[in-house]
Amino acid sequence: MKFSKNFLFGAASAAYQIEGAWNQDGKGMSNWDEFSKIPEKTFQNTNGDVAIDHYNRYKEDIALMAEMGLESYRFSISWSRIYPQGHGEINLKGIEFYNNLIDECLKYGIVPFVTLYHWDLPLTLEKEGGWLNKRTSDAFVKYAKTCFECFGDRVKNFITFNETIVFCGHGYLSGTHPPGIVGDIKKYFQAIHNVFYSHARAVIEYKKLNQYGEIGISNVFSPAFPVNNLEDNVFAAKHANEYGTHWFYDPILLGEYPEYVINDLKRSGNLPDWTTEELSTLKTAAPLNDFMGLNYYQPTRVEKIIGNFEKIEATRENSTGSPGNPSFDGVYRSVKMDDKVYTKWDWEISPEGFLQGLNMLKERYGQIKLYITENGLGDEDPIIEGEICDVPRINFIKTHLKAVKEAISNGIHIRGYFAWSVIDLLSWLNGYKKQYGFIYVDHKNNLERKKKMSFYWYKFIIESRGEQL
Ligand code: BGP
């Protein structure tokens, strides 16, 4: 089977991780511009001040993407380039940059797939309470409308938010992303709700403009499975899916939060402070949502915690997605299993879990349009005689694309696949050491770009529409 002509083969990035130029052309400070400078917050104190300087080298990068035959490029807009203070004055230089970037994509027939919020919040807004302040929602809607109005003639695919569970979880539970708050469950749920309300409002505004494009959101997709069939562990997996999946998918796709979690939050006093207007806005927006973006890296294997649960202090090292942590409510823990395969950063490699999870989604939400908006292998790529031989990445993407193929033949509606990442970039908590790209960036040699083995492989897969996977 070949992937149909409608299926988009893409690759992704995010502004803070590639652009650099943190204070160029009128850009305001973002929360990450500040947070990454706090000693020990990031791996070897790396930050995105320069990143891979994509802001100044985008033409070269897009030309490489075109050479690879990329059909779509998912990138994010840095809010503080458009509104340096979050709201207020617009920065025309910021608009100009993204206009140029979009036009450069279109020059080669690359479909721009635009994320509005990939974690870099204007610092002024963070200081005013960030996602806990409902005025941030107003500012987001204004920013989103500006992007629709300025870019929507050429951009037909918008993603509002990237991975709400990650920036809220890291921001309010583990404290390893801005605003660096630790263990505040109430704030965690409040921030999530404010984000989803903002998403819903942006979707409604987008549809009013009749731009005949599509809008959705990208969520982490990490389906939970019990480590064995013991009743306790089966329960743990159900609990984990309610909190980690349904809480994030139901409000978008069904327009309401899952009862199971609501009941728990009522008991524990952690229910967000929401209004009936906000809840009805979620309901109104749900059917207007065009697609769901899934960021899949690994499943979660869980077991129930029996007896007392020892809280472990969150550190950068134990907050980077590897198993071993207890859930915030002490109900279950994620487990590294002997019979599974893991990356160097202890992320499980499981195309089977991907397929199984996709079937679970279909069961709960029916036929929805999906894009895989992130999937890829973080590795330290071997360099042999000057060539970047990232064979493990080829195998990773190959097996996951095969799972996508199988899912499509099972009637799951997947319209595109975006590898993370198009080019090596800054990992939020793992610096430049953890590589994901098809294109290598030489940090010892003026950030020179070099094609990896996977570059040629992906080019071939796109050309042959995955027939030989
Ligand atoms: C996702 C983010 C990306 C990217 C990716 C890889 O959660 O949306 O921005 O960072 O994960 O993560 P890491 O760099 O931690 O391996």
Side-chain angles (χ1 to χ4, degrees):
M1 178 202 127
K2 284 186 182 185
F3 283 93
S4 82
K5 289 212 175 81
N6 293 332
F7 184 92
L8 283 180
F9 282 101
S13 75
Y16 187 72
Q17 298 178 275
I18 58 164
E19 284 181 1
W22 73 288
N23 61 358
Q24 208 174 313
D25 292 340
K27 177 182 167 296
M29 288 264 289
S30 80
N31 56 352
W32 271 93
D33 289 325
E34 182 188 64
F35 187 80
S36 60
K37 310 285 167 48
I38 304 171
E40 307 309 319
K41 284 290 184 191
T42 64
F43 178 71
Q44 295 176 341
N45 297 317
T46 37
N47 64 54
D49 282 4
V50 177
I52 60 158
D53 199 25
H54 178 71
Y55 187 83
N56 295 304
R57 299 173 79 144
Y58 70 93
K59 285 195 179 172
E60 176 188 353
D61 291 341
I62 307 276
L64 282 165
M65 293 179 210
E67 188 187 332
M68 190 166 61
L70 206 68
E71 295 177 330
S72 183
Y73 173 38
R74 175 185 174 219
F75 58 88
S76 80
I77 293 180
S78 168
W79 185 344
S80 57
R81 281 196 199 285
I82 307 291
Y83 285 107
Q85 307 301 316
H87 37 60
E89 288 289 299
I90 198 167
N91 173 33
L92 293 177
K93 279 276 183 197
I95 301 283
E96 186 185 324
F97 170 68
Y98 292 108
N99 269 332
N100 290 341
L101 182 64
I102 291 162
D103 291 345
E104 198 66 16
C105 287
L106 293 174
K107 180 170 123 188
Y108 297 104
I110 297 173
V111 174
F113 218 98
V114 171
T115 312
L116 297 174
Y117 186 82
H118 202 126
W119 308 353
D120 47 344
L121 183 69
L123 187 60
T124 327
L125 294 179
E126 188 74 274
K127 297 289 180 205
E128 291 166 2
W131 288 109
L132 297 174
N133 184 343
K134 301 220 175 189
R135 293 212 328 264
T136 298
S137 177
D138 301 337
F140 177 78
V141 176
K142 182 175 170 199
Y143 155 65
K145 272 179 79 173
T146 302
C147 292
F148 302 150
E149 279 158 4
C150 294
F151 312 127
D153 57 333
R154 288 150 296 147
V155 173
K156 295 297 167 192
N157 298 277
F158 284 102
I159 294 169
T160 54
F161 288 90
N162 181 68
E163 298 190 352
T164 309
I165 194 171
V166 172
F167 70 88
C168 292
H170 284 49
Y172 298 97
L173 293 176
S174 67
T176 48
H177 277 196
I181 293 171
V182 180
D184 199 320
I185 298 171
K186 175 107 187 155
K187 286 186 178 156
Y188 168 67
F189 283 99
Q190 186 66 55
I192 294 167
H193 170 68
N194 292 349
V195 167
F196 286 163
Y197 175 55
S198 312
H199 161 82
R201 290 174 68 191
V203 167
I204 292 168
E205 290 303 328
Y206 181 66
K207 291 297 165 183
K208 277 190 206 157
L209 295 173
N210 281 326
Q211 292 191 338
Y212 305 103
E214 300 199 337
I215 188 160
I217 195 167
S218 283
N219 272 346
V220 165
F221 184 50
S222 183
F225 301 104
V227 289
N228 55 34
N229 285 331
L230 289 180
E231 204 180 310
D232 275 342
N233 297 332
V234 171
F235 162 76
K238 175 189 157 41
H239 186 86
N241 282 321
E242 289 282 359
Y243 276 85
T245 304
H246 304 165
W247 187 261
F248 294 88
Y249 287 68
D250 285 15
I252 308 298
L253 298 170
L254 310 176
E256 59 193 24
Y257 292 100
E259 283 242 342
Y260 178 92
V261 183
I262 289 194
N263 290 337
D264 272 5
L265 298 184
K266 276 186 188 155
R267 276 192 293 270
S268 61
N270 287 317
L271 200 67
D273 156 30
W274 51 39
T275 64
T276 42
E277 185 272 323
E278 288 163 13
L279 294 178
S280 78
T281 302
L282 296 188
K283 264 267 170 248
T284 310
L288 303 177
N289 208 76
D290 295 298
F291 64 86
M292 174 57 88
L294 307 183
N295 291 357
Y296 176 82
Y297 290 89
Q298 58 171 340
T300 315
R301 310 283 170 187
V302 298
E303 71 181 5
K304 189 165 187 299
I305 297 178
I306 311 286
N308 281 344
F309 115 87
E310 3 56 80
K311 275 204 170 156
I312 50 173
E313 200 194 323
T315 58
R316 186 197 64 80
E317 287 77 11
N318 64 24
S319 301
T320 54
S322 49
N325 292 331
S327 59
F328 69 85
D329 56 4
V331 171
Y332 68 90
R333 73 165 64 80
S334 58
V335 179
K336 183 172 177 186
M337 294 176 73
D338 291 341
D339 63 339
K340 308 289 182 220
V341 182
Y342 293 86
T343 71
K344 283 181 196 154
W345 275 262
D346 268 349
W347 289 18
E348 187 185 331
I349 301 179
S350 179
E352 306 78 28
F354 188 20
L355 191 56
Q356 233 178 310
L358 287 166
N359 285 321
M360 279 159 61
L361 275 193
K362 188 181 171 204
E363 229 165 83
R364 190 173 175 90
Y365 303 106
Q367 273 284 9
I368 45 169
K369 188 190 280 189
L370 301 172
Y371 284 93
I372 309 308
T373 42
E374 284 183 30
N375 174 246
L377 175 70
D379 206 354
E380 281 177 281
D381 298 331
I383 302 183
I384 302 167
E385 291 172 8
E387 293 302 315
I388 302 109
C389 304
D390 57 342
V391 176
R393 176 162 306 106
I394 294 175
N395 289 333
F396 184 99
I397 296 179
K398 185 195 281 172
T399 51
H400 286 77
L401 270 174
K402 273 168 125 173
V404 170
K405 220 185 208 189
E406 196 167 334
I408 293 173
S409 63
N410 294 346
I412 295 172
H413 196 27
I414 304 176
R415 291 294 303 273
Y417 172 92
F418 292 81
W420 184 267
S421 51
V422 67
I423 186 167
D424 284 350
L425 39 69
L426 173 68
S427 163
W428 305 91
L429 299 181
N430 297 293
Y432 296 101
K433 192 177 158 126
K434 195 176 184 187
Q435 300 160 266
Y436 279 96
F438 295 115
I439 301 163
Y440 173 80
V441 175
D442 190 345
H443 287 265
K444 295 200 184 92
N445 185 17
N446 190 32
L447 302 176
E448 194 182 290
R449 276 61 168 155
K450 197 167 165 101
K451 295 166 227 168
K452 300 185 190 178
M453 225 173 186
S454 60
F455 179 101
Y456 300 100
W457 174 80
Y458 200 45
K459 181 179 167 65
F460 168 73
I461 293 298
I462 299 172
E463 271 165 11
S464 53
R465 305 221 65 73
E467 190 174 18
Q468 282 159 55
L469 278 167

